[in-house]
């Protein structure tokens, strides 16, 4: 047994089995440990009550730790969205966002992240600003729960998780870009953010419908191994169905092909954000390396599950990428998907402002005009309702903005 510290949050069943073997303990202990870390979501070794105290003490002696990330601060929006500042032991922190009522907001696919099975109320029908669905109060309502649980006012929710501290992609409209890349998160830190938020809301995943979107700080595909390991732990350990998860990428093309080969994976959203290469290269510098044609090729090759949709996100910047011509170019891009065009949809996000960023938010009429061109051409287009803008929790606003809001912790 090595004397160096071993962090167990983030280890998979194989790695835990090896560890338990090194401690000279029987293999069933690895199963118990896996269950406690991920399904029970314990936050320290002290809570590992299925293990005898002597074994816990031996683990501590061997330098084995369970360091769940801590909720450092919490900002609550008037719309119920909560922005969490989650701190790691090395002093770095990221933001994780809780969006109650199941609307993924402009973050993308929250509303329909689970709709593959449900038939997709978010998928059918006319263009509309996403709203909590009528009748949703009757589904999975947690309000009547009694006992020692806090009163719950949501019926479903979406968690937006970060994959890196900061981001290196440097999109010109995004506040996270201003941080630069501080470091990658480990799989344990990705899962730990989600566990901390589930615990903060006493979530019972067997009863309550929670979606995960990898749309917080960072480019998940620039931290692919940790991201995909976290996905597997969320599915096998924590108990999320893969159909309730969506990952968004700025367009790291080789990783789109890799994701398509994964036996267990989230749904895919691609941040298009521009309708031609000149504009896209200006807004998202990596477009020089992976242009729109290469994105379209990757999307065409991406194997979709039964009834799965492929999402394209498009941030609308006033008088920059939001003209009728831009909309018509987007239609051409979707048509270039060939067979896949029928499975594609576009999520329109009116730009969320941030200090130091030289763009502005288009008017509602420009946003609706853009949407109408897509819809009239047969391309499903949804306007994402911004969530938590007042507390800088909305898309592209995650940058540890503390001065603008009062923390509750
Ligand atoms: N890095 C990944 C995932 C996180 S960003 C990506 O870029 O896809 C999630 C979404 O928010 C992306 O579609 C991104 O284009 C969008 N976004 C970034 N900044 C924004 C802003 N200021 N307003 C609205 N959407 C923004
Ligand atoms: Fe990074 Fe996404 Fe922001 Fe671009 S939009 S800088 S990829 S977090």
């Amino acid at each position: 047994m090595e004397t160096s510290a071993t962090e167990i949050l983030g280890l998979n069943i194989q790695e835990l089995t090896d560890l338990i073997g090194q401690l000279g303990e029987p293999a069933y202990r690895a199963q118990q440990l896996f269950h406690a870390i991920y399904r029970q979501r314990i936050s320290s070794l002290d809570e590992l009550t299925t293990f005898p105290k002597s074994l816990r003490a031996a683990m501590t002696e061997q330098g084995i730790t369970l360091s769940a990330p801590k909720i450092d601060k919490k900002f609550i929006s008037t719309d119920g969205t909560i922005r969490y500042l989650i701190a790691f032991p090395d002093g770095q922190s990221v933001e994780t966002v809780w969006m109650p009522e199941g609307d993924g907001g402009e973050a993308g696919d929250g509303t329909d992240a689970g709709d593959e099975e449900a038939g997709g109320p978010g998928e059918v029908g006319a263009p509309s600003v996403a709203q909590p669905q009528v009748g949703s109060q009757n589904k999975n309502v947690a309000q009547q729960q009694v006992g020692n649980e806090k009163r719950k006012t949501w019926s479903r929710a979406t968690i937006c998780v970060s994959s890196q501290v900061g981001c290196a992609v440097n999109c010109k409209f995004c506040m996270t870009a201003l941080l630069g890349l501080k470091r990658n998160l480990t799989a344990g830190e990705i899962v730990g953010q989600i566990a901390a938020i589930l615990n903060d809301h006493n979530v019972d995943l067997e009863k309550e419908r929670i979606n995960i979107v990898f749309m917080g700080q960072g480019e998940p595909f620039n931290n692919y191994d940790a991201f995909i390991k976290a996905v597997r732990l969320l599915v096998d350990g924590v108990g999320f169905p893969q159909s309730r998860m969506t990952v968004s990428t700025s367009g790291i093309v080789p990783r789109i092909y890799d994701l398509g080969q994964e036996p267990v994976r989230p749904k895919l959203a691609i941040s298009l954000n521009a309708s031609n290469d000149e504009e896209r290269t200006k807004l998202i510098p990596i477009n020089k390396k992976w242009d729109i044609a290469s994105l379209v090729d990757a999307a065409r090759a991406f194997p979709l599950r039964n009834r799965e949709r492929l999402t394209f996100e498009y941030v609308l910047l006033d008088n920059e990428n939001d003209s009728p011509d831009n909309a018509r170019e987007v239609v051409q891009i979707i048509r270039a998907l060939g067979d896949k065009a029928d499975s594609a949809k576009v999520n329109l996000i009116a730009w969320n402002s941030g200090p130091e960023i030289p763009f502005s938010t288009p008017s509602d009429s420009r946003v609706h005009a853009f949407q109408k061109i897509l819809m009239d051409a047969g391309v499903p287009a949804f306007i994402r309702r911004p969530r938590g803008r007042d507390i800088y929790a909305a898309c592209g606003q995650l940058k540890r903005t503390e001065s603008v809001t009062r923390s509750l912790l």
Side-chain angles (χ1 to χ4, degrees), residues 163-164 166-178 214-220 222 248-252 271 273 283-286 315 395-398:
S163 55
Q164 299 182 302
C167 185
V169 178
N170 203 16
C171 302
K172 300 304 175 209
F173 45 80
C174 174
M175 268 176 84
T176 305
L178 301 177
F214 291 85
M215 298 188 185
Q217 281 184 19
E219 167 49 60
N222 278 346
S248 172
T249 180
S250 55
I252 312 290
S271 296
N273 295 343
L283 296 176
I284 310 180
I286 59 163
V315 182
C395 282
Q397 292 188 314
L398 300 185

Side-chain angles (χ1 to χ4, degrees), residues 168-169 219 221-222 249-258 270-272 274 276-278 280-282 284-298:
V169 178
E219 167 49 60
F221 286 1
N222 278 346
T249 180
S250 55
I252 312 290
V253 164
R255 298 291 87 76
I256 296 178
Y257 288 96
D258 290 346
I270 296 174
S271 296
L272 183 61
N276 57 64
D277 281 318
E278 191 188 345
R280 195 165 191 274
T281 300
K282 189 171 144 194
I284 310 180
I286 59 163
N287 191 67
K288 265 196 286 260
K289 191 160 177 189
W290 297 296
D291 63 8
I292 293 176
S294 70
L295 269 180
V296 166
D297 285 346

Side-chain angles (χ1 to χ4, degrees), residues 185-241:
L185 295 184
T186 64
E189 289 169 331
I190 296 172
V191 175
Q193 288 169 66
I194 294 166
I197 279 139
L198 293 175
N199 289 344
D200 198 44
H201 294 272
N202 285 314
V203 170
D204 177 349
L205 282 175
E206 285 180 10
K207 296 204 189 100
E208 289 153 355
R209 178 173 151 164
I210 309 293
N211 299 313
I212 301 285
V213 294
F214 291 85
M215 298 188 185
Q217 281 184 19
E219 167 49 60
F221 286 1
N222 278 346
N223 186 19
Y224 188 86
D225 291 348
F227 147 74
I228 202 71
K229 187 176 187 194
V231 167
R232 292 179 193 139
L233 294 172
L234 288 166
V235 173
D236 300 339
V238 183
F240 279 98

Side-chain angles (χ1 to χ4, degrees), residues 339-360:
D339 287 352
K340 285 271 162 37
D342 291 341
S343 308
K345 65 176 177 127
V346 177
N347 279 346
L348 299 171
I349 316 169
W351 183 65
N352 296 310
S353 60
E356 302 167 62
I357 307 195
F359 292 112
S360 44

